Amino acid sequence: MIPQIAALDNTGNTTVISTIEVQSQPSKTFKDNNKLIAGTIDGIEAITQTIEHILVTERYAYPIYPDWYGMELEKYKGQSFEYLQAQIEKDLTEALTQDDRILSIEVTDIIKESIDSASVVFNVYSTEGVI
């Protein structure tokens, strides 16, 4: 069953709204310039900033953020490189696609830097283009 929404028109009569129009909001946000607010940004620059913020915010660690915001990086500490290879694309996708401007993630390379560090190279496909 499709839910119906009733509303009052200008005359006070109840009418049923049968169609709902979804509109995207602009992605304009404040520019974070080394911990200082420096104007506003929009488009691909705003999405890039959002990605950076999500990646440096540990998920579930800060009560100010909702449970869906951030990346679970702590779980990789002490794990094998093979575990990282198996999990990282799924975790990046889960963290970043919470933003409706981000469509998908593609990990292109995972490089073992040392015994306790690795670099992950990935593309983000967004509504504004590839990052």
Side-chain angles (χ1 to χ4, degrees), residues 32-93:
D32 179 359
N33 187 8
N34 198 18
K35 308 274 184 197
L36 298 173
I37 303 299
T40 58
I41 53 174
D42 197 6
I44 202 155
E45 192 177 4
I47 296 171
T48 302
Q49 179 175 284
T50 297
I51 292 167
E52 290 169 359
H53 283 203
I54 290 171
L55 293 178
V56 299
T57 304
E58 182 65 29
R59 194 172 192 179
Y60 307 117
Y62 305 99
I64 193 169
Y65 294 113
D67 287 346
W68 53 263
Y69 190 87
M71 180 77 182
E72 294 178 73
L73 294 176
E74 289 291 320
K75 75 179 191 178
Y76 290 107
K77 288 185 177 177
Q79 298 293 335
S80 67
F81 182 68
E82 290 76 21
Y83 178 77
L84 173 75
Q85 289 176 306
Q87 283 290 122
I88 194 67
E89 187 163 11
K90 175 187 159 289
D91 290 345
L92 282 169
T93 300

Side-chain angles (χ1 to χ4, degrees), residues 5-9 11-18:
I5 300 172
L8 294 176
D9 62 14
T11 63
N13 296 325
T14 302
T15 60
V16 175
I17 300 171
S18 58

